Amino acid sequence: MKYWLLLLWPLATLQAYAQPEQMPLDDITSRRLQAEERQLPYPPVREADILWEQRVWRTIDTREKINLPFRYPEAPLVSILLEAIEAGELRAFSPASESFAVLMEAEELQQLLYREDTIPVYDFDLGREVYQVVQDDFDPASVVRYRLKEQWYFDSRSSSLQVRILGIAPIVEDRDEQGHVRFEQPLFWVYFPEARQILHRMPMPQDGTYHSPMSWADLFEMRKFASHVIKVSNIQDARLEALYTGRELLLKAEQAEENLFNREIGHWQH
């Protein structure tokens, strides 16, 4: 019997090595609660309950300290959105319209993300330089700002000021050969109510220790980001920078922010 065990031992060892190796868990337990939990839908809003409303556009600068999670190297927000778009879970809308009326074609998005360039390459067989077309991969770090489109309204049913984020767009800068910024433009628009469930599954990076993890959806709905107003709905459909400059532009942006929060107090006083 002992000899049989000696003969079977190498076979059992080989079978164990032949089985797929299980990779170690980089945690103390598997995290499935956040991925399996469903995001609650928005409560319905009756048109008759809206006493006041205003469209607001704002910019999030990821270089500010509170906004550093947007630039998390392992999973920046733009990479999360792009992966969902490429997987067919999320739709990308053209930046030509902010009303989510024009869908972006896959080829159009690829041209924006992966640009082709021509560089000289020395061909040793020919003994001279030849030009070769190369494709530049998209760098998530090139997105330094995000643009939000919001709807602020006073709900008479709850007697409170509410806000709904309608859309979010990553912003990239177009630079000349000297590296100077010529203009900035959105890569694409994402309809935020469609992205809520996807963002709810993705944990938001946090510094230090924390008791309960937060998702990207929590960050937006709890307003844990810094931003400044660049436009409010007006009859000219113009941004603040088109109407004001310098110090007056900063004051008007702050005033627009204060008007939003004073709106609720004004309704209560009246």
Side-chain angles (χ1 to χ4, degrees):
M1 181 65 68
K2 294 181 179 180
Y3 296 106
W4 281 104
L5 291 175
L6 290 175
L7 291 174
L8 292 175
W9 180 81
L11 180 60
T13 304
L14 290 175
Q15 290 177 348
Y17 279 105
Q19 293 178 357
E21 184 177 359
Q22 185 176 3
M23 302 304 292
L25 179 66
D26 185 24
D27 208 334
I28 57 174
T29 183
S30 57
R31 310 283 181 169
R32 296 193 303 267
L33 294 178
Q34 187 169 338
E36 296 174 355
E37 186 182 30
R38 297 292 299 175
Q39 179 79 335
L40 294 176
Y42 284 133
V45 179
R46 293 197 322 136
E47 182 180 1
D49 293 333
I50 301 177
L51 294 184
W52 170 89
E53 60 183 331
Q54 188 174 58
R55 288 280 173 90
V56 176
W57 288 259
R58 62 178 67 243
T59 294
I60 298 175
D61 194 327
T62 62
R63 292 167 295 190
E64 296 188 37
K65 185 175 181 180
I66 192 175
N67 296 331
L68 288 181
F70 288 85
R71 302 180 63 86
Y72 184 55
E74 294 185 12
L77 179 61
V78 65
S79 297
I80 296 174
L81 297 177
L82 285 173
E83 289 177 4
I85 292 171
E86 293 175 355
E89 298 179 322
L90 196 59
R91 295 184 293 177
F93 293 89
S94 172
S97 174
E98 295 182 343
S99 59
F100 315 105
V102 181
L103 280 171
M104 287 190 72
E105 299 292 339
E107 295 79 8
E108 183 182 359
L109 184 59
Q110 291 294 321
Q111 290 176 0
L112 288 175
L113 297 177
Y114 308 102
R115 297 185 178 182
E116 293 184 349
D117 194 7
T118 304
I119 60 173
V121 178
Y122 188 82
D123 192 325
F124 290 95
D125 295 333
L126 299 177
R128 58 183 175 86
E129 281 189 349
V130 297
Y131 287 94
Q132 182 178 358
V133 178
V134 296
Q135 189 180 65
D136 296 331
D137 293 334
F138 175 72
D139 183 13
S142 63
V143 177
V144 296
R145 295 184 184 87
Y146 289 85
R147 188 173 298 166
L148 295 184
K149 179 183 178 182
E150 302 173 332
Q151 184 86 355
W152 288 77
Y153 64 97
F154 188 86
D155 188 354
S156 62
R157 191 172 185 178
S158 61
S159 297
S160 62
L161 185 68
Q162 302 289 338
V163 58
R164 295 274 181 93
I165 299 177
L166 299 179
I168 180 171
I171 305 297
V172 293
E173 296 175 340
D174 188 282
R175 297 178 178 268
D176 57 19
E177 296 179 355
Q178 287 74 32
H180 301 139
V181 178
R182 296 189 297 180
F183 58 88
E184 61 178 25
Q185 63 178 357
L187 275 176
F188 53 84
W189 276 96
V190 166
Y191 187 54
F192 189 80
E194 290 182 354
R196 286 180 72 233
Q197 185 57 43
I198 297 171
L199 296 177
H200 180 70
R201 298 197 308 258
M202 305 303 298
M204 187 200 74
Q206 301 181 62
D207 283 332
T209 58
Y210 53 91
H211 175 65
S212 58
M214 290 181 57
S215 69
W216 276 103
D218 296 331
L219 177 141
F220 284 107
E221 296 185 2
M222 298 174 67
R223 313 291 294 182
K224 289 186 174 295
F225 58 85
S227 63
H228 64 274
V229 176
I230 60 172
K231 178 183 173 182
V232 293
S233 52
N234 59 88
I235 196 169
Q236 297 173 302
D237 195 28
R239 295 189 189 180
L240 294 178
E241 62 184 13
L243 303 174
Y244 311 99
T245 58
R247 184 172 180 269
E248 189 178 10
L249 174 61
L250 298 176
L251 293 176
K252 289 295 182 180
E254 293 179 359
Q255 182 181 355
E257 196 78 58
E258 292 178 1
N259 290 341
L260 290 174
F261 292 99
N262 291 335
R263 177 65 60 172
E264 185 173 18
I265 300 175
H267 278 287
W268 275 102
Q269 290 179 345
H270 291 85

